[in-house]
Amino acid sequence: SGQKRSVPVVAKGNGGDFDDLMKMCREILTKLMRNKSSWVFNKPVDASGLGLYDYHHIVKKPMDLGTVKAYLAKNLYSSPSQFASDVRLTFNNAMLYNPKTDQVHSMAAQLLSQFEDCLDRFKRNWIVELRKMWFVVGMMIAVEVLGMRLLVQRDARSRRLI
């Protein structure tokens, strides 16, 4: 979790879509971090303090929700998929290191499932919004094309050039 990421160059335009997507990521993360089982995942694993001397041999890329939150706050994610990858990594690391019989493993599995459910709902809502937007844009284009066609037909009858 001590790894640094370069600040991405993202064309954000006037803020719009990208900011909305990342806001949704923050909302999903907040919901996860408030879960009663998430306390284990909200800070980096203190491997030496917990006597987990093999932790870094098994977990090659440590990640935790607190680090994900910090990356979001610093705008270090260039896409929601990067955010999702780190959240998944947090829980997958816990399930990799802890046996299935361990409570931490089951908490990680439960939170990962909750995360995927939230992400699926988010994707479905976003797709609905995109479809609405494309429908409106499509209608505007159709009206524009229809309007041009009528204008051309009218001018063809009057034999004027547009």
Side-chain angles (χ1 to χ4, degrees):
S1 61
Q3 301 165 352
K4 292 186 178 180
R5 293 184 180 208
S6 60
V7 176
V9 177
V10 178
K12 294 184 185 179
N14 62 0
D17 296 341
F18 180 81
D19 290 342
D20 291 344
L21 287 170
M22 299 316 287
K23 179 182 177 197
M24 291 299 285
C25 292
R26 281 189 290 280
E27 289 172 8
I28 291 171
L29 183 64
T30 298
K31 184 175 181 177
L32 277 177
M33 292 181 82
R34 287 187 178 155
N35 185 296
K36 63 180 178 160
S37 300
S38 71
W39 64 271
V40 174
F41 310 104
N42 290 344
K43 295 181 187 173
V45 172
D46 179 9
S48 60
L50 295 170
L52 308 174
Y53 301 110
D54 61 346
Y55 183 79
H56 292 288
H57 295 289
I58 295 170
V59 174
K60 301 299 180 193
K61 186 179 176 196
M63 185 53 63
D64 64 277
L65 298 180
T67 300
V68 172
K69 183 178 179 179
Y71 286 177
L72 276 171
K74 295 175 184 175
N75 296 316
L76 296 181
Y77 291 120
S78 60
S79 71
S81 62
Q82 276 187 338
F83 157 79
S85 292
D86 277 353
V87 172
R88 288 183 186 112
L89 181 61
T90 300
F91 301 127
N92 287 326
N93 283 346
M95 291 186 293
L96 173 67
Y97 185 78
N98 297 283
K100 288 184 179 183
T101 55
D102 194 286
Q103 186 179 11
V104 172
H105 187 286
S106 56
M107 290 185 328
Q110 178 244 333
L111 286 167
L112 179 58
S113 177
Q114 179 185 338
F115 173 69
E116 295 297 348
D117 289 346
C118 285
L119 208 54
D120 285 345
R121 280 193 302 279
F122 164 69
K123 286 177 188 176
R124 282 194 301 273
N125 292 341
W126 195 253
I127 288 170
V128 166
E129 291 303 315
L130 283 176
R131 284 184 179 152
K132 286 179 187 174
M133 183 182 75
W134 281 110
F135 177 76
V136 169
V137 169
M139 291 301 291
M140 289 169 49
I141 291 170
V143 166
E144 191 71 29
V145 168
L146 184 60
M148 292 299 288
R149 206 174 281 149
L150 291 173
L151 182 63
V152 169
Q153 287 174 351
R154 187 187 61 147
D155 284 347
R157 275 188 242 129
S158 67
R159 303 218 185 260
R160 283 189 295 149
L161 294 174
I162 298 176

